[in-house]
Amino acid sequence: MPTNKAHGRIWIWLSFLLALVLQAVPWPGELEPFRPSWVVLVTCYWVLALPHRVNVGTALVVGLLWDLTLGSTLGVRGLMLSVIAYIIALNFRVLRNLSLWQQAIVIALLSLAAKLIEFWAEYLVSNISFYPQQFFAVLLNFILWPWLFLLLRRIRRKFAIR
């Protein structure tokens, strides 16, 4: 039985690693505002699917790794992911019972909140400018959520991650 738990953890962390790589891949300048928040989406899925395994602590560690990957202020994305994970873990029973498109709306609102938390935390530490184009990614997160949800659920069921 312990090998199954370790096997599940490996797949969860591999999905986080892939999300971090996708987040760090450069995009052309004119498409940069449309970059989806892969790490936020993957974290939302795992907290929603397995709140007993992936929770606020995991989100903090992934957020710190995200900060290290991007070379930004340490803790900004950790704070952001922790807040989002807390909200999802607090309401996971309600969110699980929503339809996929209703979940996509909630995830889009949470990714909007994540962008605002990220901006607020960066603004407190350094002098940055606000660009409304940054919120175009929220629309793409809304569109990507159903497909990412179904893909990760298939992986979770295929490898019996519990």
Side-chain angles (χ1 to χ4, degrees), residues 8-124:
R9 284 190 187 109
I10 290 170
W11 282 106
I12 291 170
W13 282 102
L14 281 175
S15 69
F16 281 129
L17 180 65
L18 179 63
L20 285 168
V21 168
L22 287 173
Q23 199 70 46
V25 170
W27 280 40
E30 60 273 358
L31 294 179
E32 185 66 33
F34 295 100
R35 177 196 303 259
S37 300
W38 294 107
V39 179
V40 173
L41 291 173
V42 170
T43 304
C44 288
Y45 174 78
W46 287 118
V47 173
L48 185 62
L50 302 170
H52 62 282
R53 166 103 31 118
V54 179
N55 49 33
V56 177
T58 308
L60 178 65
V61 170
V62 171
L64 291 174
L65 289 173
W66 189 6
D67 284 330
L68 288 173
T69 303
L70 296 179
S72 64
T73 307
L74 191 62
V76 169
R77 285 163 188 80
L79 170 71
M80 177 218 5
L81 279 179
S82 297
V83 170
I84 298 304
Y86 176 74
I87 293 169
I88 292 174
L90 194 62
N91 300 306
F92 80 95
R93 288 186 184 99
V94 174
L95 292 173
R96 278 186 183 172
N97 289 320
L98 296 176
S99 72
L100 205 50
W101 289 106
Q102 288 172 330
Q103 282 182 8
I105 292 170
V106 171
I107 296 301
L109 291 173
L110 286 173
S111 64
L112 177 66
K115 289 278 187 189
L116 291 172
I117 292 169
E118 181 182 359
F119 171 75
W120 171 75
E122 284 284 348
Y123 182 76
L124 289 177

